[in-house]
Amino acid sequence: MSITTNQQSAGPEVKLKIAVQKSGRLHDDSIRLLKECGIDISNGVNKLKSEASNFPLEVFFLRDDDIPQYVEDAVADLGFVGENVVYEKNKKVDVVEKLGFGKCRLSIAVRKGDDYTGASFLQHKRVATSYPVLLKKFLDEQNVSAEIHEISGSVEIAPGIGLAEGICDLVSSGSTLFMNGLKEVETILLSQAVLIKNQQLALAQQSLLEKLLFRIQSVKKAKNNKYVLLNAPNSNLKEIISLLPGMKSPTVLPLAQQGWSSVHSVISEDQFWDIIEKLKTAGAQGILVVPIEKMII
Ligand code: PRT
Ligand code: ZN
């Protein structure tokens, strides 16, 4: 028996091409996100590209610095890349969605003992960085004229070897700065991984992007929320319900034990501890917190 699908009858299959970091800090989280979106791809450690088996998606594995250019040139329709790279490269691409991983900040740091009172400290000094475009923008905004030394790696050693008085580099935990006797004095960009797209996507690719985006947003929402189940004395039920935001309103079920109810709801990560404490004070017991896999509103 032969089955004819719409896609086959419409000619060659329409696909989305997405660029992902080949190896490095964003690789694993990028692949994980696609998997959480239900997209199966074989890992491309030594591969340049891979095809999803259950979604019309082709994945290109590239250096992160090259991803904005490939997306501008439509070699890839989409890319997962850090905002720091997007804004430094300044290519003609659109940022579609923040992805919630690869979080860091682009900061200025100086020697620990320096008396830094503001950006004017850098006036006529040397600043080493791999981010000359973003650094220059910051210095111009501050009306500071400094010498920018562009280096491609190990920026944090520059003050120690007498190459510069300050640096502008990515920071996450701050331990690299600390270990090199430096202190963070200005944050010039907060960054995380984002989904970028080519500015002239064809209609068919645009509709596939919307499908992918819907899945990404459902995964993100689920990560930012917890499912909470608790037992509440009926005497305090009203107060307990008023503390719970929920998707619509909480589910309330009677317990076998008279005078008690089971209450189910969804709480966002940022309000979580605050609400849990208030729930306990209001008499809630047996509070269970469960992760949510997908959340479709
Ligand atoms: O080979 P390719 O060019 O693809 O990779 P890469 O070596 O250029 O990049 P990679 O894998 O190091 O980083 C990829 C992206 O991860 C960056 O562009 C950022 O968007 C994001 N990211 C998040 C970070 C960090 N956190 C980070 N901490 N990128 C780099 N760092 C470095 C930083 O440069 C410094 O050397 O980590 C050090 C500081 O870390 P802490 O924790 O000591 O503060
Ligand atoms: Zn890179």
Side-chain angles (χ1 to χ4, degrees), residues 77-97:
D77 303 307
L78 309 175
F80 285 163
V81 67
E83 286 174 291
N84 51 305
V85 173
V86 177
Y87 300 128
E88 177 66 25
K89 300 292 174 190
N90 211 8
K91 300 292 171 195
K92 292 193 195 75
V93 296
D94 290 338
V95 173
V96 184
E97 182 81 12

Side-chain angles (χ1 to χ4, degrees), residues 106-139:
L106 184 64
S107 292
I108 308 267
V110 297
R111 288 188 196 94
K112 216 179 294 173
D114 284 338
D115 183 20
Y116 185 95
T117 50
S120 61
F121 172 88
L122 302 169
Q123 184 74 14
H124 303 316
K125 295 205 170 79
R126 298 164 300 169
V127 186
T129 190
S130 311
Y131 293 87
V133 172
L134 291 171
L135 173 59
K136 176 152 187 352
K137 189 165 166 264
F138 170 78
L139 293 172

Side-chain angles (χ1 to χ4, degrees), residues 1-279:
M1 186 177 76
S2 81
I3 300 169
T4 312
T5 66
N6 286 342
Q7 269 173 342
Q8 276 166 347
S9 58
E13 195 189 354
V14 177
K15 266 189 206 146
L16 263 184
K17 291 171 285 177
I18 187 165
V20 164
Q21 192 187 26
K22 183 169 166 52
S23 62
R25 289 169 192 264
L26 302 183
H27 175 85
D28 290 354
D29 285 333
S30 301
I31 300 298
R32 188 173 309 123
L33 177 59
L34 290 174
K35 289 210 165 117
E36 286 167 343
C37 288
I39 298 172
D40 279 334
I41 47 160
S42 52
N43 256 9
V45 183
N46 290 312
K47 281 201 233 166
L48 289 180
K49 60 180 190 169
S50 183
E51 213 154 302
S53 58
N54 57 356
F55 194 91
L57 187 80
E58 204 169 357
V59 184
F60 293 165
F61 297 103
L62 299 167
R63 283 201 59 196
D64 67 344
D65 315 71
D66 298 332
I67 291 176
Q69 183 72 62
Y70 277 104
V71 172
E72 179 181 310
D73 295 343
V75 175
D77 303 307
L78 309 175
F80 285 163
V81 67
E83 286 174 291
N84 51 305
V85 173
V86 177
Y87 300 128
E88 177 66 25
K89 300 292 174 190
N90 211 8
K91 300 292 171 195
K92 292 193 195 75
V93 296
D94 290 338
V95 173
V96 184
E97 182 81 12
K98 296 193 187 243
L99 301 175
F101 60 84
K103 286 189 179 166
C104 57
R105 48 200 191 270
L106 184 64
S107 292
I108 308 267
V110 297
R111 288 188 196 94
K112 216 179 294 173
D114 284 338
D115 183 20
Y116 185 95
T117 50
S120 61
F121 172 88
L122 302 169
Q123 184 74 14
H124 303 316
K125 295 205 170 79
R126 298 164 300 169
V127 186
T129 190
S130 311
Y131 293 87
V133 172
L134 291 171
L135 173 59
K136 176 152 187 352
K137 189 165 166 264
F138 170 78
L139 293 172
D140 287 351
E141 280 164 9
Q142 303 291 320
N143 284 318
V144 169
S145 137
E147 214 179 287
I148 298 177
H149 276 253
E150 185 177 351
I151 48 179
S152 58
S154 303
V155 173
E156 61 280 351
I157 64 167
I161 60 171
L163 187 70
E165 285 72 43
I167 68 161
C168 170
D169 197 11
L170 296 176
V171 182
S172 43
S173 68
S175 67
T176 304
L177 293 183
F178 181 78
M179 294 202 317
N180 285 280
L182 301 172
K183 63 177 177 188
E184 192 176 355
V185 289
E186 306 271 1
T187 296
I188 70 176
L189 176 78
L190 288 174
S191 178
Q192 60 177 288
V194 287
L195 171 65
I196 56 170
K197 76 168 180 102
N198 174 273
Q199 290 182 336
Q200 277 99 35
L201 273 195
L203 222 58
Q205 266 83 11
Q206 184 66 39
S207 85
L208 282 175
L209 165 61
E210 271 151 35
K211 252 179 140 171
L212 176 65
L213 204 51
F214 174 72
R215 296 190 189 190
I216 291 176
Q217 286 165 347
S218 303
V219 170
K220 269 178 62 187
K221 266 183 221 130
K223 276 196 186 143
N224 290 335
N225 287 279
K226 299 274 179 259
Y227 193 73
V228 178
L229 304 95
L230 57 88
N231 295 332
N234 288 349
S235 52
N236 279 10
L237 201 52
K238 241 187 166 166
E239 188 189 349
I240 287 174
I241 289 173
S242 74
L243 293 169
L244 291 165
M247 285 167 80
K248 277 209 170 70
S249 66
T251 308
V252 182
L253 303 164
L255 282 185
Q257 188 181 345
Q258 273 222 334
W260 285 81
S261 297
S262 170
V263 180
H264 301 194
S265 190
V266 172
I267 302 185
S268 76
E269 191 83 91
D270 44 331
Q271 298 173 292
F272 182 75
W273 287 111
D274 197 34
I275 293 182
I276 293 291
E277 274 159 27
K278 288 185 181 146
L279 287 170

